[in-house]
Amino acid sequence: MEPAQRIVPEYDPNELDAVIGELFPVIHEERPRRGDGFLLDPAALVGSTRHYCSEYLRWLGLDEEVLPPERVLIHAGLPEPGRLERRTPQGQEGLKGQQGRFSLYIDNGLYHSLAAVKAVLAHEFTHLYLVRRGHQTLRDAGTAATGVAPVVSRLSDAEEIRTEVASVLLGFGRLVLNGVCDYARPYAGTGIVGQLGYLPVPGFVHVYRKVNELAGVSPAAAAHGLTDSARQALTKTYN
């Protein structure tokens, strides 16, 4: 996921609706949740970051061996809040079915907001799900001469926006909305762009509303588990 204080382009609701329309039937066939149980409850995430990760894997139906706790690493000074990396063992490149070895890096500067941490994890675990299901290609990370994390060619903004949409389609909408709103809240009125992710807050709200409608989530369930700032964003009218 990209650094927080980046310039996020204006979102086009019609383009977001097109991505939702494309991905919803695919993901719904794989993870057929509907109704008020469609959304992961933030209260289910307790303990350490590694405990959170175990819950994300369980929710997505992925085995812990795909991303074991010892490969979830927290470091200072990373260029972005979170980054999923993959390396294919030497000699196994190009082998059919080879998924590689995944690691997840989280920047410790993100931890002033646990809601933001959970949102970033939702985004990175969505990458993991999409790669494992063959819906997204993640090139192997290169080896950096210095630094705490390997170097990787990042995906295009369009592919990252698809990942943001997919994270909501996978039931992470409460976590995503809580995180982006909580991260932006301290910057309100300062003139600083405090934005987490690849969409502005109204864009995330649009996706959350649309996906919940398609999944049959009641308004009460959609509001349950949201922070005050996320609930305010959800009830706000946007142009």
Side-chain angles (χ1 to χ4, degrees):
M1 182 170 273
E2 270 291 280
Q5 294 185 36
R6 69 192 293 267
I7 301 301
V8 179
E10 290 297 320
Y11 75 101
D12 183 335
N14 293 324
E15 290 182 4
L16 291 177
D17 288 348
V19 176
I20 293 169
E22 175 192 348
L23 293 178
F24 179 79
V26 175
I27 291 178
H28 179 65
E29 182 177 356
E30 295 170 351
R31 307 296 296 164
R33 294 188 180 95
R34 287 191 65 84
D36 291 356
F38 174 78
L39 297 166
L40 177 61
D41 190 342
L45 301 177
V46 295
S48 69
T49 301
R50 290 178 174 179
H51 287 112
Y52 298 170
C53 292
S54 295
E55 182 60 23
Y56 285 96
L57 290 169
R58 184 200 66 77
W59 181 262
L60 295 173
L62 298 174
D63 292 334
E64 192 168 279
E65 65 184 20
V66 174
L67 183 60
E70 63 268 21
R71 295 211 299 269
V72 178
L73 307 167
I74 301 169
H75 286 292
L78 296 182
E80 55 253 326
R83 184 198 298 165
L84 180 71
E85 304 286 14
R86 187 192 68 181
R87 286 196 181 98
T88 301
Q90 189 173 9
Q92 297 184 15
E93 299 87 350
L95 290 182
K96 187 175 181 181
Q98 176 53 244
Q99 298 273 6
R101 171 175 168 165
F102 295 94
S103 299
L104 178 59
Y105 297 86
I106 303 294
D107 185 73
N108 70 351
L110 191 65
Y111 279 78
H112 74 273
S113 167
L114 284 181
V117 171
K118 294 172 184 179
V120 168
L121 289 173
H123 182 91
E124 301 306 327
F125 273 89
T126 298
H127 278 308
L128 181 63
Y129 177 90
L130 294 174
V131 171
R132 294 285 297 183
R133 287 286 186 167
H135 304 315
Q136 193 172 80
T137 301
L138 187 67
R139 286 187 287 178
D140 275 9
T143 302
T146 60
V148 295
V151 176
V152 68
S153 298
R154 76 175 185 86
L155 298 169
S156 67
D157 279 1
E159 193 64 29
E160 292 287 5
I161 289 172
R162 286 170 59 83
T163 305
E164 301 286 23
V165 172
S167 71
V168 181
L169 288 165
L170 285 167
F172 293 141
R174 287 171 176 152
L175 304 175
V176 171
L177 199 58
N178 282 348
V180 298
C181 291
D182 192 63
Y183 202 98
R185 182 173 49 82
Y187 298 97
T190 67
I192 298 173
V193 178
Q195 178 63 53
L196 194 65
Y198 291 82
L199 291 170
V201 170
F204 282 109
V205 169
H206 178 87
V207 173
Y208 187 65
R209 289 171 174 167
K210 185 73 174 183
V211 169
N212 285 344
E213 179 183 346
L214 289 172
V217 178
S218 69
H224 175 76
L226 295 184
T227 62
D228 290 343
S229 56
R231 194 174 293 110
Q232 290 170 9
L234 183 61
T235 58
K236 189 175 179 180
T237 301
Y238 299 96
N239 294 329

